[in-house]
Amino acid sequence: MKALHIDNTILQSRLFLGTAGYPSPEVLGWAIEAAKPGLLTVSLRRESAAGKGQDFWSIIKGFNIPVLPNTAGCYGVEEAITTAEMAREVFKTNWIKLEVLGDDYTLQPDPFRLLEATEQLISKGFTVFPYMTDDLVLGERLAALGCDILMPWGAPIGSGRGLNNPYALKLLRERMPGETLVVDAGIGAPSHAAAAMEMGYDAVLLNTAIAKATDPVAMAGAFAQTIEAGRAGYLAGIIEPQQSASASTPAIDKPFWHQEN
């Protein structure tokens, strides 16, 4: 299966793994080992607020997996830009997953501030991975600003609802064939991730579905397998649903067990 490239980096997996909310650093480490993710995402604001600090960064860096810092918890443009600049200093990377939230209840991205922050960060040399809704026009505007990667939500962050709007997600994939598209947020079960990959999405970003599972390590392994299976199914060519039945075995005259006397 062809590897995923971002900039000049080859990612070894199409599973992107968040690092927040695990029962302990040990469980996080075991989950990373089971998932074998292509990327690890880290929230500078939330992890620092939890008191993990430099020890946490050292653990993450020890896995030698590309790190994608994010601006989780930011609601304003300047706040997001400042967080991104701090993350660049800590992780020595121009990659940033840009979150600019607009609603406390759904944690839905603010499309207007997202566009403004994206434009400014790109001018500062960042490779922006924008966390967005599944809106096609927003995706096209972000691509026009210079985003080669888009991260539409499947459902609100941490909700576990899966793919709330398959039509919109399929439309994004069909209309933006040249973009790297990653379903981010709302995934709750391995089947949700498989469905996204079967649509032709390039990767899936997970956090809560693994971190809050009864057995995070086993769940990490399950997601790793199902993302590979979903991608393989997409590449193999999934049949179109039909309105009527179609016999898989052709009927030619008489059953093979019927013998003439």
Side-chain angles (χ1 to χ4, degrees):
M1 190 180 301
K2 186 178 179 181
L4 180 61
H5 291 68
I6 296 180
D7 290 339
N8 295 320
T9 302
I10 300 175
L11 305 184
Q12 299 303 315
S13 169
R14 293 172 182 268
L15 189 162
F16 297 174
L17 187 64
T19 57
Y22 287 80
S24 69
E26 291 78 16
V27 172
L28 169 60
W30 297 332
I32 293 172
E33 291 175 0
K36 297 180 175 58
L39 278 181
L40 292 172
T41 64
V42 176
S43 168
L44 186 68
R45 286 167 53 89
R46 286 180 176 161
E47 300 303 344
S48 294
K52 295 181 179 179
Q54 292 300 322
D55 290 340
F56 178 75
W57 315 145
S58 298
I59 292 170
I60 295 301
K61 290 177 182 178
F63 281 97
N64 197 31
I65 295 172
V67 171
L68 176 63
N70 67 50
T71 63
C74 292
Y75 284 80
V77 173
E78 291 305 319
E79 180 185 24
I81 291 171
T82 299
T83 302
E85 290 174 333
M86 291 172 60
R88 177 156 63 180
E89 290 185 14
V90 171
F91 293 104
K92 310 302 179 187
T93 178
N94 289 323
W95 290 2
I96 191 72
K97 178 189 167 188
L98 179 60
E99 295 185 24
V100 186
L101 303 177
D103 182 75
D104 287 331
Y105 182 73
T106 63
L107 300 181
Q108 179 173 327
D110 182 323
F112 308 104
R113 290 175 177 164
L114 179 64
L115 286 167
E116 183 180 348
T118 296
E119 185 172 20
Q120 291 191 42
L121 286 172
I122 288 176
S123 72
K124 293 174 180 286
F126 284 89
T127 297
V128 178
F129 297 56
Y131 168 60
M132 54 176 281
T133 58
D134 50 25
D135 182 89
L136 174 62
V137 174
L138 175 59
E140 291 175 336
R141 296 284 176 85
L142 288 164
L145 289 176
C147 292
D148 296 323
I149 303 157
L150 302 177
M151 305 185 78
W153 68 353
I157 294 172
S159 67
R161 295 177 58 85
L163 308 182
N164 266 357
N165 194 342
Y167 170 78
L169 291 170
K170 288 179 181 178
L171 187 63
L172 270 170
R173 180 70 286 173
E174 291 169 3
R175 294 283 295 275
M176 308 191 76
E179 295 289 312
T180 297
L181 299 182
V182 181
V183 170
D184 175 15
I187 297 295
S191 57
H192 300 156
M197 299 304 293
E198 289 170 2
M199 287 181 189
Y201 274 74
D202 296 286
V204 173
L205 194 155
L206 305 163
N207 194 157
T208 305
I210 293 177
K212 301 300 184 184
T214 303
D215 186 338
V217 179
M219 188 62 77
F223 270 108
Q225 294 177 58
T226 198
I227 285 173
E228 285 195 13
R231 179 66 178 176
Y234 168 73
L235 294 175
I238 298 169
I239 65 171
E240 292 293 329
Q242 305 295 322
Q243 292 296 323
S244 59
S246 175
S248 58
T249 303
I252 303 175
D253 194 22
K254 298 176 181 179
F256 70 87
W257 64 81
H258 181 86
Q259 300 294 328
E260 294 289 348
N261 292 328

